[in-house]
Amino acid sequence: MTSVVATASNIVKRFDAESGKSEDVITALDGVDFDVRAGEITGLVGPDGAGKTTLIRLLAGLMKPDDGEILVDGIDVIADPESVYQRIGYMPQRFGLYEDLSVQENLNLYADLRDLRKEERQDTFARLLEFTDLDRFKDRLAGNLSGGMKQKLGLACALINTPKLLLLDEPGVGVDPVSRRELWKMVKDLTGEGIGIVWSTAYLDEAEACDHVHLLNHGKKLFGGKPQDLTGSVRNRVFRLEGFSGNKRKVLASALNREGVRDGTIQGDAIRLLFAENTEPNLDGLSGAEKATLTPVEPRFEDAFIDILGGGPDGHSALASDYREIEETDRPQIVADRMTKRFGDFTAAHDMNFSVKRGEIFGLLGPNGAGKSTTFKMLCGLLSPTEGNGSVAGYDLRHSRADARGALGYMAQKFSLYGELSVRQNLEFFAGIYGLSGQTAKPRIAAMIDTFELRPFLNSDAGGIPLGFKQRLALCCAVMHQPPVLFLDEPTSGVDPTTRREFWQHINGLVEKGVTVLVTTHFMEEAEYCDRIALIYRAETIAFGTPDDLKKEAAQMAGAGADDNFTMEDAFIAMIENADLVRETSDQTKEAA
């Protein structure tokens, strides 16, 4: 029988509210039981604020519970935390290493902190650098690593002393699908050494691959067991709607407003729907779907996750309902005209060439470091292209950069607001930046607060509020002046699936008002919402088309034919691997010549 390396029994953890009032005390965990088995990956999932990070910090001995017992390798964490520290590896949610130290220097530091014996260091470093494929980057500053390599370095540092328990708090956040799969394989290999692993995640395909899963919400455990057991709870309730004649965003919004529909997402030119229990799966009378077909499909863990939390949001966007109608025009709203950016001898983006029309969602996909954010910054007027040019809302970026900036809303990849200002102060500051007068700004700010449920955090420092609300605040500040063009650089990175759905309901609603959206994302199911996609790799565009076109093309590359189960993530990885193969073949041909 598999041994248990960690248990948490009837854990309660409370935090004082900022108000200082006893009635406002926040209960982060409320009677939670949790265990981790040796040689297995235990998934920890739940919405933002569910208590996942709190539970991991308690297991690591970084804080004490108000009630309950925690044992790691049989040792009481509360009574003897020092002994526990030597038995765990911990990788925090945010990159916790020193960015101004090299890879090797970070390893040296962690070896010192862990009291690793001098005679063991050379072999340990060599093993970890080979395991993470970081040996060739050991002299590079950690701050200059890609997102995937940073996470690999964090994992290496957590493994300096081979732990009994490895705690990974959302290690896949901000990491592209290729790097995420590599990271998952590395962690999976560790289970063969008998390490018990806790993997907290916002990516539910990862949760589906875990040996056991615990689902938290508002500090309570809603489910604990094998992921397939939860997935099975929605079997025969998930359907694919296709063949409709109406606008897919309008059809989805209408479907989500119908009684009995628990959740819905866009999948290319089709829609995936989850129906409530004991509900007849039909959409009789749904405008635009008169000739559509509903086909049952295999459920996913994410379907069951949304269902157990009470379903996703409806099809209404309060943000879009108050947004102005963007003027009709045949002129492209975003144009990249052979834009290239070089930094010395390094080419970050080469020959970016595309245009985006009014009311279209255009996606830029690619691995970390591919050139997506560089392209974004050129089009936002934050970087000047080395070659080529672009325009936004008809404003030439070489000659009318200030006008172009005023016509767009920009949500950066990392939280870029003022963390030491309160939520209210950030809203007021950005209203002023975008030229909203006091008379105009006041109702606009009030609408943002209500739409995104920010009222409980108005007087809190923006840097300290939960991640999902940080992203909501960032979106508020980007759209407060109601721009015709919206740039979203990984807008939902790290947030839970429910919050992602809320974001996309708003984005879909804005697009119906004529807003043009340029978006990057590492969530491949979000890429399905795009009308067209450019896949960028090594600073070059390697594929271009609709989501369905790219899936079909990639399925043929992989020899999967017209497999309906071929996902956007499968397509992403197949095309990257094919590009590497083409490059390798080309290099071999040049060498032979």
Side-chain angles (χ1 to χ4, degrees), residues 342-419:
R342 298 189 187 92
F343 298 94
D345 295 333
F346 174 69
T347 301
H350 177 251
D351 201 25
M352 294 297 151
N353 198 39
F354 57 84
S355 65
V356 188
K357 63 185 180 181
R358 174 192 177 276
E360 185 177 22
I361 301 177
F362 190 90
L364 291 180
L365 304 186
N368 296 110
K372 306 183 303 296
S373 292
T374 299
T375 303
F376 247 60
K377 288 175 181 177
M378 286 192 288
L379 286 167
C380 288
L382 300 176
L383 283 176
S384 297
T386 308
E387 296 174 11
N389 193 22
S391 67
V392 174
Y395 296 109
D396 185 287
L397 287 169
R398 284 202 187 276
H399 306 295
S400 305
R401 188 175 297 182
D403 290 327
R405 286 178 183 166
L408 63 86
Y410 175 54
M411 186 172 168
Q413 188 176 38
K414 294 181 179 179
F415 184 67
S416 59
L417 306 185
Y418 292 90

Side-chain angles (χ1 to χ4, degrees), residues 96-112:
L97 306 182
Y98 292 89
E99 297 201 352
D100 54 352
L101 296 182
S102 70
V103 168
Q104 185 62 63
E105 287 168 339
N106 271 286
L107 289 171
N108 293 341
L109 175 62
Y110 268 72
D112 291 339

Side-chain angles (χ1 to χ4, degrees), residues 361-365 517-521 527 530-535:
I361 301 177
F362 190 90
L364 291 180
L365 304 186
V517 177
L518 185 68
V519 62
T520 71
T521 180
C530 297
D531 297 296
R532 290 182 299 143
I533 290 169
L535 178 56

